[in-house]
Amino acid sequence: MKPAIGFLDDAGDSTDTSHHNDTLTTHDTTVDSFLGTICVLCFLIGVPGNLASLRHFILMTPKDIPCVLYILISVNDLATTLTVIANAVSFYSDRAPMFFGLRWGCKLYGLVWTMVPFISVFLVAMLSIIRSIVLVKPLIHVSRGIVLKITALYYLYILCRILIPVTLGQTDFIYEDEDVYCWDGDMKYEWYITYDIVTGIVQLATPVIPVFLSCGVSVWALMRSHEFYNLSIRLSINGSMRQKKWEKKRLRRRSKKVEATITIILITMVYVIFNIPNFITWVLYLADGLEVPEHDTVKYWYLWCVSYVVCVSINSAINPIILLWRNRKFRESVGKSLI
């Protein structure tokens, strides 16, 4: 993302405002083809994978809080992997606008990608925090209604954050070939550019602290429960048949809890790994005075498109793979749908 003044031509198409001749460096077509291939793979894996995940959790009963959050995560990841095919086409076409050259296409893509990275970090944080609460304080009832209200308010904030400036004509979506995506870069006031970047960094960074803390608490709770479980096994070796049956039931319940917790930890860690580059890019952009040095090939041509598009898309494509690996019911659901 770089401050730029975009415009719409008479045909109603989104016009590319950057020019290769104005820069001191240029992009590598071989690297672009490689990035385009990654985007295609994210599309081919992520779209069917997230559709299967969405179907599985919609049909699941009862719909507890993690189930609802998984539904929202699947929708978010589906939107990400579905639209990334537009980036692939531009990567293969020497960064020509292609789909982004259509006014409605640029706006649609811009709306989706202005929201999905922030919604993603919010949902992952909610999932991780709630799981930690359940592990540490199992007797505490986490209200699904409250969680849904908090989530709805955040979605409303994200929508207003982008729709209000666009509606009031304070910004518009433009395509730039150094980014290979459409973003709300046609901002009329410098203060809004700073506000947009600062709030973006805050939204990406704020959930990271509770996410790390929640993962640490979850790991500690699992290790602690394992110690108590081993102790109960030793105490019940010479117990009655009834005690042994009770222990088997307890083992099954604990096994399900452990599997669910490990799955959430893996999804959270994968998210952190593939979204740290995005956060670092935002920070570097702010530190460079909202400018990207044109003489730096990596920063100018690859930093934003790799961290903001490619890494986020990989994350969205990997999530259903993790669920397929860790969730037996999801595997059974996918198997039945293929028969």
Side-chain angles (χ1 to χ4, degrees):
M1 289 186 176
K2 294 168 283 296
I5 300 299
F7 60 92
L8 300 175
D9 60 21
D10 295 335
D13 292 343
S14 174
T15 305
D16 180 9
T17 60
S18 58
H19 307 280
H20 294 182
N21 294 333
D22 294 337
T23 63
L24 302 179
T25 60
T26 186
H27 56 92
D28 190 305
T29 55
T30 303
V31 176
D32 285 355
S33 297
F34 174 72
L35 295 176
T37 302
I38 293 177
C39 291
V40 170
L41 289 174
C42 290
F43 173 81
L44 294 176
I45 296 172
V47 171
N50 285 297
L51 279 173
S53 175
L54 180 61
R55 175 181 178 274
H56 170 70
F57 289 110
I58 287 178
L59 296 177
M60 181 181 289
T61 53
K63 287 183 173 57
D64 54 11
I65 296 175
C67 178
V68 174
L69 291 176
Y70 272 125
I71 290 174
L72 296 176
I73 289 173
S74 297
V75 171
N76 199 66
D77 288 343
L78 179 61
T80 302
T81 53
L82 186 62
T83 53
V84 78
I85 194 66
N87 301 94
V89 173
S90 289
F91 273 125
Y92 284 134
S93 306
D94 196 29
R95 303 202 176 199
M98 307 306 287
F99 175 81
F100 301 120
L102 303 173
R103 181 173 183 177
W104 64 267
C106 191
K107 282 185 176 293
L108 177 62
Y109 180 95
L111 285 171
V112 171
W113 277 84
T114 304
M115 296 186 291
V116 291
F118 304 109
I119 291 176
S120 180
V121 67
F122 172 80
L123 294 175
V124 170
M126 291 287 285
L127 189 66
S128 182
I129 292 170
I130 291 172
R131 193 63 193 175
S132 298
I133 294 174
V134 171
L135 285 174
V136 177
K137 298 291 184 180
L139 298 180
I140 293 181
H141 173 69
V142 181
S143 173
R144 191 179 77 161
I146 293 177
V147 172
L148 291 178
K149 288 177 182 178
I150 293 174
T151 304
L153 285 174
Y154 187 77
Y155 272 66
L156 180 62
Y157 162 72
I158 290 294
L159 281 172
C160 292
R161 179 176 177 267
I162 184 59
L163 289 181
I164 291 177
V166 171
T167 303
L168 296 178
Q170 300 304 308
T171 185
D172 202 355
F173 294 103
I174 60 171
Y175 173 80
E176 291 188 338
D177 57 358
E178 62 266 35
D179 298 324
V180 200
Y181 63 86
C182 286
W183 62 288
D184 52 330
D186 188 9
M187 301 180 185
K188 308 302 182 184
Y189 300 101
E190 187 173 346
W191 69 266
Y192 182 77
I193 299 175
T194 305
Y195 162 79
D196 186 60
I197 296 299
V198 172
T199 55
I201 292 175
V202 170
Q203 289 178 85
L204 289 174
T206 302
V208 171
I209 297 175
V211 162
F212 273 113
L213 290 176
S214 299
C215 283
V217 169
S218 296
V219 172
W220 171 81
L222 286 178
M223 294 176 63
R224 188 165 175 263
S225 65
H226 183 68
E227 293 174 1
F228 279 106
Y229 170 73
N230 289 337
L231 177 61
S232 66
I233 288 292
R234 290 195 298 270
L235 292 175
S236 63
I237 288 177
N238 298 320
S240 64
M241 184 62 68
R242 185 176 180 180
Q243 286 176 320
K244 290 181 180 179
K245 288 182 179 179
W246 174 82
E247 192 60 42
K248 287 181 180 179
K249 291 181 180 179
R250 184 184 176 190
L251 173 61
R252 285 194 293 269
R253 288 196 300 268
R254 178 183 177 276
S255 177
K256 291 180 180 179
K257 185 198 307 186
V258 170
E259 290 296 321
T261 303
I262 292 175
T263 300
I264 291 174
I265 291 175
L266 285 173
I267 289 176
T268 303
M269 288 297 96
V270 168
Y271 172 82
V272 170
I273 290 171
F274 283 102
N275 283 269
I276 280 180
N278 187 18
F279 170 70
I280 293 175
T281 299
W282 282 68
V283 173
L284 288 175
Y285 182 48
L286 185 63
D288 288 337
L290 307 183
E291 294 287 347
V292 177
E294 297 182 3
H295 63 276
D296 191 322
T297 303
V298 174
K299 278 189 176 182
Y300 192 81
W301 292 106
Y302 295 103
L303 189 61
W304 276 104
C305 63
V306 171
S307 64
Y308 195 75
V309 175
V310 178
C311 286
V312 172
S313 299
I314 292 174
N315 182 197
S316 295
I318 286 178
N319 282 340
I321 296 176
I322 296 175
L323 289 174
L324 192 65
W325 169 39
R326 299 293 309 175
N327 193 311
R328 177 180 57 82
K329 290 184 178 181
F330 180 53
R331 288 196 299 271
E332 293 174 352
S333 175
V334 173
K336 290 179 181 178
S337 64
L338 294 177
I339 296 176

